[in-house]
Each structure stands twice: as structure tokens, then as C-alpha cells.
Amino acid sequence: MEEKKNTTFIVVNPEESELASFCDVAPSFESKSKEFSSSLEERISRRKLLPRQVSMIGIGGAIGTALFVSIGTKIIQGGPASLLIAFCLWSVVFIGLSQSMCVMVTHLPVTGSFVLFTERFVDRSCGFAVGWTYFVCQAANVCFEITAVCLVVEYWTDKIPKAALISILIILFGFLNLYSVFFFGEGEFYLSIGKVILAIGLIIFTIVVMSGGNPQDKVLGFKTWDNPGAFAEYISTGASGRFNGFMSCLIFALYVFWGVDYLGNAASEAMNPRKVIPSSFRKVFGRLIIFYIGGAICVGVLIPYNDPQMIKAINEGAVGAGASPYVSAMKSLGIKVLPHIVNVLILTSIISAGNSSLYSASRVLHRLALEGQAPKFFKKVTKRGVPIYCCTAVLVICGLAYLSVSNNTNVVLTWFLNIETAAMAIVYIFICVSYLQFRRGCIAQGIDLKTLPYYSRWLPYLTWHSLFWLTLMLLVSGYTVFLKDNWDTQSFVFSYFMIPFFIVFFVAHKLYLRTSFVKPSQMDLVTGLRELAEEDEYWLENPPKLNWFDKAFGFLI
């Protein structure tokens, strides 16, 4: 890929990256991981993910059911303007986070990438705590998605036992993840297509409906922004109520904007990662802005924040598509078939999200084992590149989803949701911190950042911007419990539980091993680079063999 001028991102070919001088300038370190001691043939054999699969993992993994279902609650609480402003603001946060991640992951595309970055560039104890925090987050998200499937199926019937549905999903996830990396990638590719079709379809539906293409011939336009208005009041009235509504949407955005970590994990098993990963990151930017900002506009057009049918669905605990603002609009306009189609695609969206989370959780656990921070048997990898015991461990944890059999399903979903939202904020904070430290290390060791495989002229400014907002949202994510007459012990515990969890793991590890924070001049920036240079040469001489289908989808997505 040629260097691009006058663009936000500059990608440099590996063969032009002055890798030799990079290794000569930086101090030398001895690799302690088996990951870099294996032969070139073994390393190449583990890279099974095609470019189209990697791209779809980044796009599909970031598009969850929140974009289609939970977003309805936030339009009621904050109004269309609050939701749109929150999504626009968080898009900038996400771009800064993604760019920071892409610089490091193209420099060193390895298993559990951001865990290794935190350990190498910040502190080993931080890496330990971040790794286990992320593992808990993704394992909880698998349970969340499995539990959510039960709700989606209840849209049609409540006669199917929850335990049976949960068992079927655990078996399905095992089938997709335990056989081979390529099999996971192919399964995720087709599952994610359902998400993309749903997102694009709903945007097209909104454009048609707002223009008068509906059974009632009603032209919607942007009337809901005038009546009842653009900003809703939440918890209290007046200016403080409108502020609470906006904060509800902003905190929601923290949960919605996911995906950068999925691409980071996929980099370790992607073909020709130095070329494929930057391309995938660039594609994610545009698609997420279209899907999320476009989604916020669509919901604001279709229903007012005082929509009685939407409020009734939320108060009655409607399930699956029944809680979707799009379905609420369809019912109001007398459209009868589309809600069932939406529910089917929501189902594929949930399965895709759970599949991605299981993959990510298993790879981070494998990284922890490689670094000696998890039991040794988790290092085991099959001939097809699957960390078999790591995947099995996550599947066992999925058994927590059976809690929904004896408890209210919505309550269990809230438990998992609050835990993973705070956990992801912590992980994203340390991705930003890791990049800032990585940058300091490069400067201290005389390394020109422009010689790296990926370079962005907007860093570190966007990194600092993202770090500020991520830290702020972590601290205020459960602020509503501190408002007058609004205290809720359960909400407080689940909103802030992951902060002491991280601190305890960090402090315990530091006291036990007496680790110290990494100095920029002593930072390990080179371990594994010579092996990756060998891979770059291999991919240059033996580019991935793509058929017409791979090339077509690579162009489209």
C-alpha cells in the first residue's frame, strides 16, 4: 500500500519501514515468550483470518443489539438531540482510541495485544490487572448475549425452556470456536453480515418512511424535534433534567462504541497484519460513524421522546424487537411483517456479539498464560491454532447465564451490562495510556514515529482527548445513585465494582512481585520485530490467496 498524502492516516509498507535501523537504535531484549521463538512456518500457519474476515470482525463486533433495541430507552430519557450529540462526541473519542491502538497493533500484532502493550510500555502489574479485567468483561458479555437471546425468542413464544436455549447457544459457540481459527472467522463473517444488513436496512426504512412511504402516507420529516422537542427531561425537571437526559445518552455511548479491542485481538491471527489491520481500522471509522450517528438520527426521526407505545414497551419489559424503537414506529404506522424480520436479524446480531466476545476472552486468557500470569495449561494450542483450554474455560463460565432461569432475565442482563461497561472503560483507558508511554519510549530511544508501519498526524492529541472522556465516564457512570432520593445499592455496586476489582489485582500483583513502572529509555520496543520482519518478507513474496468472493467483499467492506 502506498503512502497516502493529505489524508488523516499514513500507512507505510513494512519493507519501507526502516525496521533494521529501528532495531539498531532501540535497546535489545531477550524474548521470554514462546510466541516469538517458534519457526516462521509455525507462525504463518497460525495466521488463518482472511482480510474480509478481519474487516467484518471489526465492523460486526462493534455493532451490537444496543444500536437496535436499547437505543429506544435512551431516546425516551434524553431526546433526539441529546442522543445525536452524545454519539457525535463519542465518535471522536472512539477515533482517537482506534488510532492509538492501530499504531501499536501494527507495530506488534500479537495475541492479547493491548495486555502485552500495557505490560511492556506501562507496568507489568498494570498488564496483569488489565488482562484479568478484560477477561471478566468479555466473559460477562458472552453471558449477557446468551441471556439476551432468551428475551429475543420470547418475542415469538415463551414456551421454549430458557435452559434449553442457553445449552444450545453454549454448544453453538463451542462449535464455532473450538475447531479452527478460520472456522471462527468464517462463522463471524456471515453472522456479522446479518448485523450490517439490519443496520443498513433500518436506515433505508427510515428514509422511506420519513418521506411518506408508509401505509398512512404520513410525512414525518424532523417533526419530532419540534414537537415534543429535541431534549427530554430525565429524573428531574428543567435544565437539570435535560442535563441528566444528556448524561444518560453519553454513558450509553460508552457501552455502544465497542470493537477496537476485537481488531486488536484478531491482528495476532490475521494474514499479512501490517497491511490488513490498518485497512480494517480505516474501514471501521466510516462504517461506525454511518451506523451509529445514522442510527441516532433515524431513531430521533421515527419516534418522539414521549411516544406512548415505546414508553409502554419499556415499562412492561418488552422483549427482543418489542423493545426496539424501530418496531414501535412500525406498529404505529401499521406495518406488520417487518417486526418479525427485525427480530430474526437481532437474533443473529446477538449470536455474533457473543461469538466475538468468546474469541476475545479466550485470546486474552492465552496472552496471560504466555506471560506467566495465568495457569500454564492455558498455553496449550491445537494444531489449528485454537487455545483449546482457554476457549473451554470461557464456555464453562457461560454457565452463569443459567442464573436467568431462576431470576428475572432483565435483572440478570443489568448485572452483566453494568460490569462489562465499567470494565471496558478501564481497558480503553489503559490502551490510551499504553500509547502515550509507547510514544515516550520511541522518542527517548531516538525512534522516528513516521517509520512505524502505521502513523497518524493527529496523535497524541486525540489520545489525550479520548483518555479524558473515558476517565470521566468511568467515574460518573453511576452518578444517578448520588442524586437526591435516588440511591440504589445494587446499581452502585454493579456500576463501580470493576474499579476496586482492578485496584485489588494491581496492588496484589505489585506487592507480590515488586514490579516497577517502565522507564521510556528502558522500554522493550523490539522483541518480536525481527520475527515479524521475516513474516513481512514472506507475505510480500506470498500474498494471501484471495478468490473473487474475498476480493469483492474486501472492496465492499
Side-chain angles (χ1 to χ4, degrees):
M1 202 179 301
E2 296 179 357
E3 183 171 328
K4 296 185 178 181
K5 297 181 180 179
N6 299 322
T7 56
T8 304
F9 315 104
I10 299 176
V11 182
V12 184
N13 277 336
E15 63 269 23
E16 299 172 354
S17 64
E18 302 179 15
L19 179 61
S21 61
F22 185 100
C23 293
D24 290 338
V25 171
S28 60
F29 295 85
E30 182 181 352
S31 174
K32 297 179 181 180
S33 175
K34 288 184 178 180
E35 191 166 9
F36 302 121
S37 60
S38 56
S39 66
L40 174 63
E41 291 74 17
E42 289 181 79
R43 297 197 304 273
I44 294 297
S45 68
R46 289 197 290 265
R47 296 193 177 278
K48 297 290 187 181
L49 294 177
L50 294 168
R52 64 174 172 82
Q53 294 173 333
V54 175
S55 182
M56 192 57 82
I57 287 171
I59 296 171
I63 300 175
T65 53
L67 182 62
F68 314 120
V69 180
S70 307
I71 195 172
T73 302
K74 300 308 167 183
I75 205 74
I76 299 298
Q77 294 176 352
S82 292
L83 186 65
L84 180 59
I85 294 170
F87 275 27
C88 289
L89 175 61
W90 214 254
S91 292
V92 180
V93 173
F94 190 83
I95 288 173
L97 176 68
S98 298
Q99 288 190 26
S100 303
M101 182 68 169
C102 191
V103 170
M104 296 185 291
V105 84
T106 51
H107 170 68
L108 200 64
V110 295
T111 303
S113 53
F114 47 86
V115 177
L116 179 66
F117 301 152
T118 307
E119 179 175 325
R120 272 204 197 180
F121 308 149
V122 183
D123 173 63
R124 191 180 177 195
S125 296
C126 283
F128 173 79
V130 166
W132 282 106
T133 299
Y134 184 78
F135 176 76
V136 169
C137 167
Q138 291 302 316
N141 193 54
V142 182
C143 298
F144 173 87
E145 303 297 352
I146 290 174
T147 305
V149 167
C150 298
L151 286 178
V152 172
V153 173
E154 284 179 12
Y155 179 76
W156 293 303
T157 178
D158 58 359
K159 295 181 179 180
I160 301 176
K162 290 181 182 179
L165 285 172
I166 293 168
S167 300
I168 291 170
L169 281 167
I170 292 175
I171 293 171
L172 175 61
F173 287 149
F175 179 69
L176 290 171
N177 283 269
L178 294 177
Y179 181 69
S180 73
V181 175
F182 177 81
F183 199 69
F184 157 79
E186 204 68 349
E188 183 60 21
F189 176 79
Y190 289 107
L191 285 170
S192 294
I193 285 178
K195 289 184 181 183
V196 175
I197 290 173
L198 178 58
I200 294 174
L202 291 176
I203 291 174
I204 295 173
F205 164 79
T206 303
I207 294 172
V208 172
V209 166
M210 71 182 292
S211 303
N214 57 75
Q216 299 178 6
D217 297 323
K218 184 188 296 184
V219 179
L220 302 179
F222 286 87
K223 293 179 181 178
T224 57
W225 287 62
D226 291 326
N227 183 24
F231 295 92
E233 297 175 349
Y234 178 54
I235 298 179
S236 57
T237 58
S240 63
R242 289 189 290 273
F243 174 78
N244 289 333
F246 170 72
M247 287 300 297
S248 175
C249 293
L250 195 59
I251 294 169
F252 174 68
L254 171 62
Y255 169 70
V256 171
F257 282 74
W258 279 28
V260 62
D261 49 302
Y262 294 149
L263 269 180
N265 286 321
S268 66
E269 291 166 304
M271 296 179 179
N272 199 3
R274 292 269 176 81
K275 180 179 179 180
V276 170
I277 295 301
S279 175
S280 297
F281 267 101
R282 285 200 307 275
K283 291 175 182 177
V284 169
F285 300 147
R287 304 308 185 273
L288 289 183
I289 289 173
I290 292 171
F291 293 148
Y292 281 110
I293 295 180
I297 294 173
C298 289
V299 173
V301 166
L302 289 173
I303 64 169
Y305 66 71
N306 62 352
D307 181 67
Q309 191 158 314
M310 190 72 238
I311 294 173
K312 180 181 178 182
I314 294 171
N315 291 338
E316 294 180 355
V319 297
S324 170
Y326 295 101
V327 172
S328 178
M330 291 171 188
K331 289 181 178 178
S332 297
L333 295 169
I335 301 172
K336 297 181 179 180
V337 178
L338 282 180
H340 296 284
I341 298 175
V342 169
N343 205 50
V344 170
L345 293 174
I346 287 175
L347 188 62
T348 65
S349 174
I350 294 173
I351 295 173
S352 170
N355 190 43
S356 295
S357 291
L358 195 152
Y359 172 83
S360 293
S362 63
R363 268 47 180 187
V364 165
L365 183 57
H366 186 231
R367 163 53 56 191
L368 290 168
L370 289 174
E371 299 301 323
Q373 297 179 342
K376 291 182 179 180
F377 66 88
F378 285 125
K379 293 181 182 180
K380 172 68 176 176
V381 177
T382 66
K383 293 180 180 179
R384 295 186 175 90
V386 177
I388 186 71
Y389 295 131
C390 295
C391 291
T392 303
V394 181
L395 288 170
V396 170
I397 294 173
C398 289
L400 290 173
Y402 288 108
L403 287 171
S404 62
V405 175
S406 57
N407 292 276
N408 182 282
T409 307
N410 283 314
V411 171
V412 176
L413 279 173
T414 302
W415 294 345
F416 291 135
L417 178 61
N418 289 340
I419 287 175
E420 61 196 65
T421 300
M424 282 311 301
I426 293 172
V427 171
Y428 286 166
I429 285 170
F430 275 92
I431 288 176
C432 293
V433 172
S434 296
Y435 172 76
L436 294 172
Q437 281 294 98
F438 172 76
R439 181 183 176 87
R440 288 182 63 199
C442 288
I443 294 172
Q445 297 179 25
I447 298 164
D448 186 356
L449 291 166
K450 293 182 179 180
T451 64
L452 298 176
Y454 184 91
Y455 172 75
S456 170
R457 67 189 60 168
W458 299 109
L459 302 180
Y461 315 110
L462 284 179
T463 309
W464 282 109
H465 176 265
S466 300
L467 179 60
F468 168 78
W469 283 104
L470 286 164
T471 305
L472 180 64
M473 287 301 100
L474 175 64
L475 297 176
V476 305
S477 61
Y479 85 98
T480 55
V481 300
F482 300 108
L483 299 178
K484 186 178 180 181
D485 300 325
N486 210 46
W487 175 260
D488 182 74
T489 303
Q490 188 180 82
S491 296
F492 172 78
V493 170
F494 283 107
S495 293
Y496 293 104
F497 168 76
M498 292 309 299
I499 297 178
F501 176 91
F502 176 86
I503 293 173
V504 168
F505 270 59
F506 169 74
V507 172
H509 188 273
K510 183 162 282 291
L511 290 177
Y512 183 73
L513 294 180
R514 304 290 181 180
T515 62
S516 57
F517 288 96
V518 179
K519 296 179 180 179
S521 60
Q522 299 175 358
M523 192 176 292
D524 180 2
L525 299 172
V526 299
T527 297
L529 291 190
R530 295 193 186 278
E531 290 83 356
L532 288 166
E534 292 178 5
E535 293 185 29
D536 291 338
E537 292 180 10
Y538 172 86
W539 292 116
L540 185 63
E541 297 173 2
N542 306 276
K545 295 180 180 180
L546 306 178
N547 56 35
W548 68 268
F549 180 76
D550 299 325
K551 292 177 181 178
F553 266 94
F555 175 77
L556 292 173
I557 60 175

